[in-house]
Amino acid sequence: RQDAADTETSCQADYERVLSPTLLFSAEGSFRNESFRLWSNSFSTPVIIGQQRGFRQGYGRVTLAGSKGIQDWKIGADAFFNPVHENLEYTITNPSLFDPGTALRFGFAGRRTDIEPAAFAQDTFQLKNWNVSLGLRYDHYQFVVNQSAWSPRLAVSHYFARFGVLVHADYDRVFQTPAMENLLLASSPALDQISPL
């Protein structure tokens, strides 16, 4: 028999302040605590397994948005801060169901902190039947690897009133990070000792 339990606790706070008729400040903060546990009883076959993993996620964001004439703009920054822990151990109780040479016992424990700061700026303006939106975002990812990227965004649309048709074209590049579940284990050289395969 194997059992699993997953728990999550989260909270969030938002704040907005109108600084002037054309200027808005906003801030957001959140916290999430997530944990997962898997365990087997002593009669489990072909493997007795135990796992505990989880993370505490802190997130913060501040933005300043403004409007002037035909332009609407926004600048801001946000960041994730995630201490992550993973523990896994197993004991094979029926080796005949595994490849030859597979380690009969294995244990892994790892801790690392994921840090993901970012900043962005965007501007949208309208001129007659044209609408143009420009944006640029910078992301930094520091967990198993250390990577950074610029993400440009461009959108242009034109409304042909005579035909009642709106033509729209856009381009964006997104910097997406992987899910954290089991990422420390999956990227660990300790896995090489499980099997020659």
Side-chain angles (χ1 to χ4, degrees):
R1 173 176 168 171
Q2 294 180 346
D3 294 275
D6 187 19
T7 60
E8 180 179 334
T9 305
S10 63
C11 62
Q12 179 176 329
D14 297 290
Y15 173 79
E16 286 188 349
R17 180 168 181 150
V18 177
L19 302 176
S20 76
T22 60
L23 210 55
L24 174 69
F25 172 80
S26 64
E28 174 187 337
S30 64
F31 174 79
R32 182 165 61 132
N33 185 9
E34 186 167 316
S35 64
F36 174 82
R37 183 173 171 235
L38 171 70
W39 68 97
S40 306
N41 66 10
S42 59
F43 300 105
S44 293
T45 187
V47 63
I48 297 172
I49 192 165
Q51 182 182 42
Q52 286 186 312
R53 68 173 193 261
F55 62 90
R56 292 182 174 90
Q57 182 180 80
Y59 172 73
R61 176 180 58 86
V62 293
T63 62
L64 184 64
S67 179
K68 184 175 182 181
I70 62 172
Q71 286 186 297
D72 295 316
W73 56 268
K74 183 188 283 188
I75 58 173
D78 59 30
F80 285 99
F81 183 79
N82 307 311
V84 178
H85 67 273
E86 295 178 12
N87 295 284
L88 173 78
E89 58 182 28
Y90 74 71
T91 301
I92 292 176
T93 57
N94 187 350
S96 66
L97 296 179
F98 292 85
D99 291 326
T102 301
L104 298 181
R105 294 179 185 274
F106 175 74
F108 172 81
R111 289 182 176 273
R112 191 172 288 181
T113 299
D114 172 31
I115 302 172
E116 299 181 38
F120 65 90
Q122 64 187 54
D123 190 13
T124 301
F125 58 91
Q126 297 175 346
L127 186 60
K128 294 186 178 180
N129 291 339
W130 289 92
N131 186 297
V132 179
S133 180
L134 303 168
L136 185 63
R137 180 179 174 93
Y138 174 78
D139 287 278
H140 181 72
Y141 174 70
Q142 185 177 325
F143 190 43
V144 174
V145 296
N146 197 340
Q147 298 264 326
S148 298
W150 292 93
S151 301
R153 297 171 187 181
L154 168 66
V156 178
S157 59
H158 182 72
Y159 178 64
F160 295 89
R162 182 176 176 188
F163 304 105
V165 174
L166 177 70
V167 177
H168 178 84
D170 62 59
Y171 168 83
D172 64 7
R173 180 179 185 270
V174 178
F175 181 72
Q176 187 168 354
T177 59
M180 280 184 283
E181 287 78 12
N182 293 314
L183 194 55
L184 292 179
L185 174 64
S187 59
S188 171
L191 285 180
D192 296 340
Q193 64 184 286
I194 291 179
S195 167
L197 300 177

